[in-house]
């Protein structure tokens, strides 16, 4: 019997399996899809996530195009914030295709002693024994374990079956994404770029090989005439981006349109933990989802290795620490979502931040996971 069974072999599930396997635990990891797989999401990994990959020894295998901050465009206003230095040294994020990142992490998990990793299998339901979750039903097979981790994504079926779904988000936002290879001579600056307009934003992330991700986030009612028509209209409104895409080769079909927010009533239940997007997600507007998944997996791995065999009390301790870990990012996301709804206000705020580069850098550092919101110091480990 395994010590831990994990549903979902994405960033959160695979990285947790690696950490627990290296700690000497027996882990079973189940993923519905096969790798490599396309996924409709942002592909900018913030510095805190890059640091987790480095601690795993996987930063080089993941690779990616470095970016040093974020540049915002609101009409004719341009404002740029760079990631703050950490311990006197510059830090960067990485832009990398999810099909590559996910495949590297899952392969590393499968190669970790103590980890059994399977793709193409459907996790059907949680198993219960004596009032607690005690395993998973995987394609009709019962897989028992003292701890079950649901890392099965934004619209987690296990979260629903465990009775942990929260109320639906009041604001319905959707996301679209596609990829381009820039024409010869066109250079993508080493930063994420955000083009803000009323009802939607466009995000441009540098990727290896002269490629870029173009992603749109919007209120559902802003999708007029279908997704392709909406994206075309948004691009036409941005002369800087339109010029950069002159002669570019489109590489992937447009994907997305799923609601972006999900809520969990609680992150834990007796014998079970929600991890990654399954634990609830506000909005990708500040770009830290992948880094949050890696940081949460690292935090959970520490709690598991300390708490296994000591009952379920440690589950609540993990839930509290996880809330604390992500609280600054949560507050910042709500703030930026509010600004995105009011471009006039956003323009004035960005003008003020442009005149205060240290404050702007600090806020970009919060989104990057390397600063606390109300402290000038680096975010401490929990």
């Amino acid at each position: 019997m395994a010590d831990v069974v994990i549903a979902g072999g994405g960033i959160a599930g695979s990285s947790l399996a690696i950490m627990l396997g290296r700690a000497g635990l027996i882990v079973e990891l189940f993923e519905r899809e096969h790798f490599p797989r396309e996924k409709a999401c942002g592909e900018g990994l913030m510095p805190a996530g890059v640091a987790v990959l480095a601690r795993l020894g996987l930063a080089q295998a993941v690779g990616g195009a470095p970016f040093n901050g974020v540049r915002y465009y609101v009409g004719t206003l341009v404002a740029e914030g760079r990631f703050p230095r950490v311990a006197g040294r510059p830090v960067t994020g990485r832009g990398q295709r999810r099909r590559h990142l996910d495949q590297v992490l899952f392969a590393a998990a499968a190669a970790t002693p103590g980890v059994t990793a399977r793709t193409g299998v459907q996790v059907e339901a949680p198993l219960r024994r004596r009032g607690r979750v005690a395993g998973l039903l995987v394609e009709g097979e019962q897989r028992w374990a003292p701890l079950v981790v649901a890392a099965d994504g934004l619209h987690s079926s296990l979260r629903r079956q465990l009775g942990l779904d929260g109320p639906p988000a009041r604001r319905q936002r959707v996301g679209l994404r596609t990829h381009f290879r820039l024409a010869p001579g066109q250079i993508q600056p080493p930063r994420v770029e955000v083009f803000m307009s009323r009802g939607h934003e466009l995000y441009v992330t540098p990727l290896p090989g002269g490629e870029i991700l173009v992603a749109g986030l919007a209120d559902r009612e802003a999708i007029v005439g279908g997704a392709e028509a909406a994206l075309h209209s948004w691009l036409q409104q941005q002369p800087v981006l339109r010029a950069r895409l002159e002669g570019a080769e489109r590489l992937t079909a447009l994907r997305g349109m799923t609601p972006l927010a999900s809520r969990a009533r609680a992150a834990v239940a007796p014998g079970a933990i929600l991890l990654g997007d399954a634990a609830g997600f506000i909005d990708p507007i500040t770009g830290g989802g992948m880094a949050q998944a890696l940081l949460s997996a690292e935090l959970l791995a520490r709690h598991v290795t300390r708490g296994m065999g000591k009952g379920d009390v440690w589950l609540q301790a993990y839930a509290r620490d996880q809330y604390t870990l992500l609280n600054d990012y949560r507050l910042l996301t709500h703030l930026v979502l509010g600004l995105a709804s009011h471009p006039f206000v956003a323009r004035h705020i960005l003008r003020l931040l442009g005149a205060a580069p240290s404050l702007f850098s600090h806020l970009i550092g919060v989104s990057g996971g390397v600063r606390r919101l109300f402290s000038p110091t680096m975010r401490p480990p929990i």
Side-chain angles (χ1 to χ4, degrees):
M1 186 175 74
D3 296 306
V4 182
V5 291
I6 304 172
I11 292 174
S14 289
S15 58
L16 178 65
I18 294 167
M19 297 170 195
L20 295 181
R22 291 179 180 179
L25 276 68
I26 304 301
V27 180
E28 292 183 352
L29 175 65
F30 303 103
E31 167 58 40
R32 180 181 58 189
E33 306 291 340
H34 292 282
F35 296 100
R37 65 173 181 185
E38 292 286 357
K39 186 168 183 178
C41 72
E43 294 176 327
L45 181 62
M46 290 296 190
V50 176
V52 176
L53 291 181
R55 290 191 286 273
L56 287 174
L58 295 173
Q60 185 173 354
V62 168
F67 57 88
N68 56 27
V70 183
R71 176 181 286 177
Y72 289 89
Y73 297 79
V74 185
T76 58
L77 176 66
V78 180
E80 181 177 339
R82 293 200 170 197
F83 296 122
R85 299 171 75 90
V86 174
R89 301 172 60 183
V91 295
T92 61
R94 299 272 187 91
Q96 182 56 280
R97 292 282 298 273
R98 276 296 299 268
R99 59 181 288 123
H100 177 73
L101 172 58
D102 288 353
Q103 185 173 24
V104 168
L105 286 174
F106 190 86
T112 301
V115 177
T116 301
R118 295 166 57 190
T119 59
V121 293
Q122 181 70 42
V123 174
E124 299 170 2
L127 299 172
R128 291 176 171 84
R129 180 185 284 165
R130 291 190 290 276
R132 69 189 307 276
V133 181
L136 293 172
L137 184 65
V138 183
E139 298 199 335
E141 183 181 0
Q142 296 178 342
R143 308 303 304 173
W144 301 97
L147 178 65
V148 170
V149 177
D152 53 339
L154 191 65
H155 307 293
S156 168
S157 63
L158 286 178
R159 181 181 65 217
R160 174 179 53 79
Q161 292 178 79
L162 291 169
L164 297 179
D165 265 344
R170 290 187 297 272
R171 185 176 178 185
Q172 289 294 309
R173 299 243 298 166
V174 297
L176 308 167
R177 75 97 179 99
T178 188
H179 300 89
F180 294 88
R181 180 176 291 115
L182 297 177
Q186 290 281 11
I187 299 175
Q188 165 65 19
R191 63 186 68 89
V192 172
E193 295 185 304
V194 183
F195 298 83
M196 303 181 73
S197 296
R198 184 170 298 279
H200 70 270
E201 312 92 52
L202 288 172
Y203 296 78
V204 181
T205 302
L207 300 170
E211 298 180 10
I212 60 171
L213 166 79
V214 176
L217 303 180
D219 296 319
R220 184 180 289 278
E221 56 267 25
I223 308 296
V224 178
E228 285 284 356
L231 180 63
H232 178 76
S233 172
W234 300 343
L235 291 174
Q236 293 306 305
Q237 297 173 37
Q238 302 297 340
V240 172
L241 182 53
R242 192 171 67 245
R244 187 172 305 147
L245 292 175
E246 187 75 29
E249 175 190 3
R250 186 161 169 184
L251 301 175
T252 60
L254 194 62
R255 294 180 61 133
M257 285 296 289
T258 183
L260 295 171
S262 68
R263 294 182 178 180
R265 183 172 55 80
V268 301
I273 289 179
L274 305 180
L275 182 65
D277 288 348
F281 187 68
I282 303 171
D283 194 279
I285 192 167
T286 42
M290 294 192 295
Q292 290 180 55
L294 288 163
L295 289 167
S296 296
E298 191 174 55
L299 176 65
L300 178 55
R302 289 199 292 268
H303 275 272
V304 171
T305 54
R306 297 170 187 164
M308 284 289 286
K310 299 178 182 178
D312 287 339
V313 175
W314 68 271
L315 296 175
Q316 293 298 333
Y318 162 75
R320 289 191 297 270
D321 283 352
Q322 195 261 359
Y323 183 88
T324 300
L325 177 70
L326 302 182
N327 192 48
D328 284 355
Y329 184 86
R330 190 179 297 109
L331 292 172
L332 184 65
T333 298
H334 283 300
L335 172 64
V336 178
L337 268 175
L339 290 178
S341 300
H342 302 88
F344 178 79
V345 177
R347 187 179 297 112
H348 285 280
I349 295 295
L350 287 172
R351 184 176 288 115
L352 291 173
L353 289 174
S358 60
L359 175 59
F360 204 174
S361 176
H362 174 74
L363 294 175
I364 295 297
V366 175
S367 71
V370 295
R371 284 287 178 90
R372 295 181 297 176
L373 185 57
F374 299 109
S375 170
T377 62
M378 179 178 165
R379 181 194 303 274
I382 292 178

